[in-house]
Amino acid sequence: MHDPRPCSIADALGVIGEKYSLLVLREVFWGVRRFDAMVRNIGAPRDILATRLRALVEAGVLEKVPYSERPPRSEYHLTDAGRELRPVLLTLMSWGDRHLADRPSVVFRHSCGSDLDPVVVCRACGEEVAETALTARFQVPGWGPSGALPA
């Protein structure tokens, strides 16, 4: 058996690729930062949600911030790494709205006044990224488009 392809997607999924992890991020993005409210909104078992929160904190996506000493209670805030996931969740939600939902459960209005339809654009030129506009440059020696290169 060969080693799997080195891939940042696989690495990211190791941190946020579980359903309840993504739903925790959805809640924190919407300003829900306390455990009991997350349990209520997500519908996850408390022990599973606690495990996901702990993993997101350990991965540096969320941070625990105390809000009460008696009893000791904390809430969860996004780190810079967590805030960088906002476009990922917005794009994932948009895909779900188009392909899985009868109608969107929520629509975001952008500050320009239009409903948000997220797209990926090139930071350098501002053009929308199309499949035909991309060329992969593999950075890990021994790997190419079809997998591991012959030795």
Side-chain angles (χ1 to χ4, degrees), residues 1-22:
M1 182 166 171
H2 299 292
D3 289 334
R5 179 191 296 275
C7 175
S8 298
I9 295 171
D11 296 342
L13 288 173
V15 174
I16 63 161
E18 197 278 332
K19 171 184 173 179
Y20 293 126
S21 296
L22 289 170

Side-chain angles (χ1 to χ4, degrees), residues 11-60:
D11 296 342
L13 288 173
V15 174
I16 63 161
E18 197 278 332
K19 171 184 173 179
Y20 293 126
S21 296
L22 289 170
L23 295 178
V24 162
L25 292 173
R26 175 197 69 191
E27 292 301 312
V28 177
F29 280 126
W30 289 357
V32 177
R33 295 184 175 92
R34 296 187 180 175
F35 183 78
D36 287 337
M38 287 184 202
V39 169
R40 189 173 50 252
N41 292 348
I42 295 171
R46 296 175 75 83
D47 60 331
I48 292 175
L49 192 59
T51 300
R52 298 303 178 263
L53 283 163
R54 197 168 26 258
L56 290 168
V57 169
E58 289 171 4

Side-chain angles (χ1 to χ4, degrees), residues 63-143:
E63 64 180 336
K64 269 179 95 166
V65 177
Y67 70 87
S68 172
E69 290 183 19
R70 291 186 197 178
R73 297 277 188 261
S74 296
E75 58 185 20
Y76 296 88
H77 292 222
L78 293 163
T79 62
D80 288 342
R83 280 186 286 281
E84 287 181 22
L85 290 166
R86 182 181 307 273
V88 174
L89 266 74
L90 289 170
T91 304
L92 185 62
M93 184 182 74
S94 179
W95 182 89
D97 289 346
R98 281 192 312 278
H99 299 286
L100 303 173
D102 292 330
R103 63 184 171 101
S105 59
V106 64
V107 175
F108 289 97
R109 174 131 320 150
H110 189 263
S111 59
C112 72
S114 294
D115 291 346
L116 180 66
D117 182 16
V119 296
V120 178
V121 298
C122 174
R123 183 182 303 269
C125 70
E127 287 187 21
E128 186 173 343
V129 177
E131 183 179 353
T132 57
L134 298 175
T135 304
R137 291 182 295 124
F138 292 89
Q139 303 297 302
V140 177
W143 288 90

